[in-house]
Amino acid sequence: GQNIDQPTEMTATEGAIVQINCTYQTSGFNGLFWYQQHAGEAPTFLSYNVLDGLEEKGRFSSFLSRSKGYSYLLLKELQMKDSASYLCAVMDSNYQLIWGAGTKLIIKP
Amino acid sequence: GAVVSQHPSWVICKSGTSVKIECRSLDFQATTMFWYRQFPKQSLMLMATSNEGSKATYEQGVEKDKFLINHASLTLSTLTVTSAHPEDSSFYICSASTPDRNTEAFFGQGTRLTVV
């Protein structure tokens, strides 16, 4: 079956750096997405990786290793507003998004 | 980026009544729209995939007669929850994709449905 694993919850300090890991096993691979979701709101797009390596976008970076079925989202200079759930999703061979359960990130002052 | 508008943002209805949720792509033609359901502290659960002009494809365990999906045009899909019950209370989210498949999914704002 298809499976996306990410930690349920993480805690970090304002101003610090946090890395959220995601491992996947899917039927085919057409890219990996990271979304941010604040409570009660729809997800918002953060990043898309389809090739191995690191994609940097401001304070957020996303890394992909297709051979390892592994990705991480790196958040730098954490701000209180970064407290949210972070969803990892993989697009399979049918172009369907397979979603992880999300990682709740708690930022403490 | 592309914009998807979902309406209403929240709705309260009585048990036994039906509720319609609209999802519109405002600046692009959405050949495919997806309907998700999300329970508190859980991830998105795909309910169905709707392609313009054809019948929706429902995921296993989702009752197609209860959750009616219509995708009559390239910019509008609707989800109707028929004979709603309290257990249907949830957060419903639509997303749309463009013909270029390897792109982000564009989400509507979501609809909080409460059935009393």
Side-chain angles (χ1 to χ4, degrees):
Chain A
Q2 311 209 85
N3 196 47
I4 311 282
D5 285 317
Q6 51 182 132
T8 304
E9 187 174 297
M10 299 182 71
T11 303
T13 305
E14 190 177 16
I17 298 173
V18 71
Q19 177 175 311
I20 303 174
N21 295 325
C22 172
T23 57
Y24 63 89
Q25 293 150 347
T26 57
S27 306
F29 180 83
N30 279 304
L32 186 144
F33 299 78
W34 283 97
Y35 284 82
Q36 180 191 61
Q37 185 179 27
H38 286 100
E41 299 180 13
T44 56
F45 172 78
L46 291 178
S47 68
Y48 170 66
N49 294 67
V50 67
L51 299 176
D52 290 350
L54 186 68
E55 295 274 347
E56 296 185 79
K57 191 186 292 185
R59 293 190 298 115
F60 293 4
S61 303
S62 57
F63 171 83
L64 175 68
S65 169
R66 288 172 296 170
S67 62
K68 295 181 179 178
Y70 167 70
S71 172
Y72 67 72
L73 179 70
L74 191 71
L75 293 77
K76 303 177 184 176
E77 300 169 16
L78 287 169
Q79 302 174 9
M80 297 302 293
K81 67 178 182 179
D82 297 330
S83 292
S85 286
Y86 291 85
L87 305 174
C88 172
V90 173
M91 185 171 279
D92 68 8
S93 56
N94 295 318
Y95 296 94
Q96 284 236 11
L97 281 176
I98 311 299
W99 293 87
T103 298
K104 182 179 180 181
L105 178 63
I106 300 169
I107 309 295
K108 295 185 175 180
Chain B
V3 178
V4 174
S5 176
Q6 186 174 340
H7 176 81
S9 300
W10 60 270
V11 58
I12 301 173
C13 71
K14 290 185 177 180
S15 187
T17 62
S18 295
V19 173
K20 180 185 282 188
I21 303 169
E22 292 188 349
C23 182
R24 294 180 183 273
S25 57
L26 298 184
D27 55 358
F28 68 102
Q29 293 184 329
T31 51
T32 305
M33 286 190 175
F34 303 90
W35 286 96
Y36 294 91
R37 184 174 181 175
Q38 188 177 33
F39 291 105
K41 300 182 181 180
Q42 295 187 27
S43 188
L44 303 172
M45 184 193 80
L46 180 65
M47 298 175 65
T49 302
S50 74
N51 294 296
E52 185 266 339
S54 62
K55 289 184 178 180
T57 301
Y58 288 81
E59 296 299 301
Q60 193 172 7
V62 178
E63 298 176 59
K64 62 180 181 180
D65 294 330
K66 181 169 184 61
F67 299 98
L68 301 178
I69 292 173
N70 184 282
H71 193 161
S73 76
L74 285 171
T75 59
L76 174 64
S77 177
T78 60
L79 167 67
T80 301
V81 183
T82 63
S83 186
H85 288 101
E87 56 265 31
D88 297 325
S89 298
S90 188
F91 191 50
Y92 293 87
I93 309 174
C94 72
S95 75
S97 68
T98 65
D100 179 10
R101 288 169 149 176
N102 284 12
T103 61
E104 61 180 283
F106 302 103
F107 285 91
Q109 302 94 319
T111 299
R112 173 73 58 191
L113 170 63
T114 302
V115 184
V116 297

